[in-house]
């Protein structure tokens, strides 16, 4: 099982616990993708960069925007993943009524070209 934690005021999810290095390596491979610009990058031509984008950094952090990809990874590999603090950070229980109220307040004093 892989355990992640979202820290307050952070824009990442940190891997804090894992049962085996095998699981961690599978996670690292999953979050390493070939860059779409890698084939045309001078750093690749010079052998400085391998053309891969790594989304799991050396501090075991993944950008918080990839939280859903962790769930995809879990389903794809059958490795259980637990993310602590995600609900509080993303406010996943935001209702449609709350959203409508927010948008109405946001555009309360905005007028179109016809002053409507």
């Amino acid at each position: 099982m892989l355990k992640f934690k979202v820290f307050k005021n952070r824009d990442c999810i940190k891997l804090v616990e894992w049962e085996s290095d095998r699981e961690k390596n599978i996670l690292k491979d999953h979050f390493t993708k070939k860059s779409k610009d890698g084939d045309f990058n001078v750093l690749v031509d010079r052998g400085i960069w391998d053309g891969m984008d790594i989304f799991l950094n050396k501090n075991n952090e993944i950008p918080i925007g990839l939280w859903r990809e962790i769930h995809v990874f879990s389903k794809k590999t059958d490795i259980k993943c637990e993310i602590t603090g995600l609900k509080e950070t993303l406010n996943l229980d935001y209702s449609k009524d709350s959203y409508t109220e927010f948008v109405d307040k946001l555009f309360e004093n905005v007028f179109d070209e016809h002053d409507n």
Side-chain angles (χ1 to χ4, degrees):
M1 172 179 256
L2 299 173
K3 293 187 179 183
F4 298 87
K5 185 173 182 180
V6 177
F7 292 95
K8 297 272 185 195
N9 302 324
R10 297 293 303 262
D11 57 353
C12 62
I13 300 170
K14 184 172 179 118
L15 176 64
V16 293
E17 190 177 318
W18 57 93
E19 291 179 3
S20 70
D21 287 337
R22 180 184 161 277
E23 287 180 344
K24 187 177 174 188
N25 288 333
I26 293 170
L27 178 73
K28 185 177 179 182
D29 287 344
H30 182 82
F31 282 96
T32 302
K33 306 289 182 195
K34 183 173 179 166
S35 175
K36 61 181 175 180
D37 299 327
D39 292 336
F40 305 104
N41 193 302
V42 69
L43 297 175
V44 174
D45 293 340
R46 292 181 184 167
I48 298 171
W49 178 46
D50 63 0
M52 302 299 278
D53 290 329
I54 301 170
F55 295 99
L56 178 68
N57 68 20
K58 292 178 183 177
N59 296 325
N60 294 325
E61 298 170 336
I62 297 171
I64 198 162
L66 296 175
W67 67 270
R68 185 167 284 185
E69 189 63 27
I70 293 172
H71 292 291
V72 170
F73 164 80
S74 179
K75 287 181 182 178
K76 184 177 179 182
T77 62
D78 288 328
I79 296 174
K80 292 183 180 181
C81 295
E82 177 183 294
I83 305 173
T84 305
L86 185 64
K87 281 188 173 185
E88 298 81 10
T89 303
L90 297 180
N91 195 7
L92 297 174
D93 297 326
Y94 205 67
S95 70
K96 184 177 179 180
D97 293 335
S98 297
Y99 172 75
T100 304
E101 181 182 335
F102 169 77
V103 171
D104 289 344
K105 284 182 182 178
L106 185 66
F107 290 106
E108 190 173 63
N109 295 318
V110 176
F111 299 100
D112 64 11
E113 64 273 5
H114 304 290
D115 289 330
N116 293 326

